[in-house]
Amino acid sequence: MNIEIHVRNYKSKMSGFYAKTAQAKDDLQSHQSALQEHIASFENRNILSKALYFFPYALRKSSMENRVEELNRKISQFPRGQNDALRVLVLESARELMLNGDNADDVLRLEQEHRILSTLFGLTGKAAESGRRALSAVHNAIDSLSDAEDLELMDAVTKSKFISSMSTIQNFSAADATAQVNQALREFQQNINERQSHWNEIKHDTLIETVDFVMDMIVDSGLVDTLGSLFSLISLSETKDKLKQLHVELEPIVNGVLAEMERVSARLSHHENEMLVLKYAERAKIIPLLRSHGIEVTSEFVSSITELYAPSEKSSK
């Protein structure tokens, strides 16, 4: 096992922290002394001299105070860095112990299932968000077409050049809104297909047999192609009616994807909790081993670690 390597790396980091902390404390003491001397020197001046040198004094004092504050902040961050180093040591060492322990198969199985579920959740969320955008685009297009209808009616009644110009502008806006519906639908279809493709690859995997998701809600390609050049072919009213029908057909599909996202999220959360329970127990086993190397670590510290993976695992994915 490579635990000895992790221990050496940790001790090397700690030596660096101790040296940096000592140097920073020496610097802080030196700057604090210099600041006090600067203040005392100014206070010993007479009134006229204080008036003449006040601004140079104030500028230097402010600079010195900023440096003291910076050093204090730097020193206050060292314990966090030390805790981070210890956390990494526990994660990496415990990982070595897990892979050579009795529960190695359970750990690897849960991790593989987690990767599958995480990908599934990401793709489902992507599809759900594009579905929301598609519905929003349909709403916007319907509103834009309604406005275009109103202005078209006013133009026919009033014969006003201003109203006629506004009607033309609104027609362009309605055309643009309709085009955005087309684009949003295609993106939704693409994301659904991507998610469905992943699901088809994993749904027969024995590792994920406990997952009972059903995601057969492919968006009918006819919905995507319904609009096409629709706006240039039919009236505003007919186009709006087509969009309303589209909304009726699209909304339950989007709601289904949103519901699926909630189910995947709940399953992923449950799975992560299951992983953490097992890893808490496995990581606790590293405590006596680290103590044998002269490194004190408490069970409270180990149980406070919520990461599912060691840093080396994350970087290897």
Side-chain angles (χ1 to χ4, degrees), residues 148-160 163-164 167:
E149 278 186 303
D150 292 341
L151 283 170
E152 195 174 69
L153 178 61
M154 291 176 64
D155 183 31
V157 173
T158 64
K159 303 298 182 181
S160 166
I163 296 297
S164 180
S167 178

Side-chain angles (χ1 to χ4, degrees), residues 1-4 6-7 86-115 275-276 278-287 289-290 302 305 307-317:
M1 289 191 292
N2 295 320
I3 292 178
E4 288 76 12
H6 297 308
V7 169
L86 183 58
R87 177 180 54 78
V88 170
L89 172 64
V90 170
L91 287 170
E92 297 292 359
S93 300
R95 176 69 176 173
E96 295 283 344
L97 209 58
M98 285 182 208
L99 295 182
N100 291 277
D102 296 335
N103 295 318
D105 289 342
D106 290 336
V107 170
L108 292 174
R109 174 182 57 80
L110 286 172
E111 288 179 348
Q112 186 168 352
E113 289 179 357
H114 181 255
R115 285 189 285 272
M275 281 183 68
L276 279 176
L278 176 59
K279 290 200 171 186
Y280 282 153
E282 291 297 304
R283 288 166 182 170
K285 297 176 183 178
I286 201 67
I287 295 175
L289 185 57
L290 291 180
V302 173
I305 298 174
E307 285 93 336
L308 291 172
Y309 299 99
S312 60
E313 296 175 84
K314 296 176 182 178
S315 61
S316 64
K317 290 181 182 180

Side-chain angles (χ1 to χ4, degrees), residues 171-184:
N171 282 352
F172 281 120
S173 296
D176 181 63
T178 304
Q180 289 181 30
V181 170
N182 293 333
Q183 179 62 32

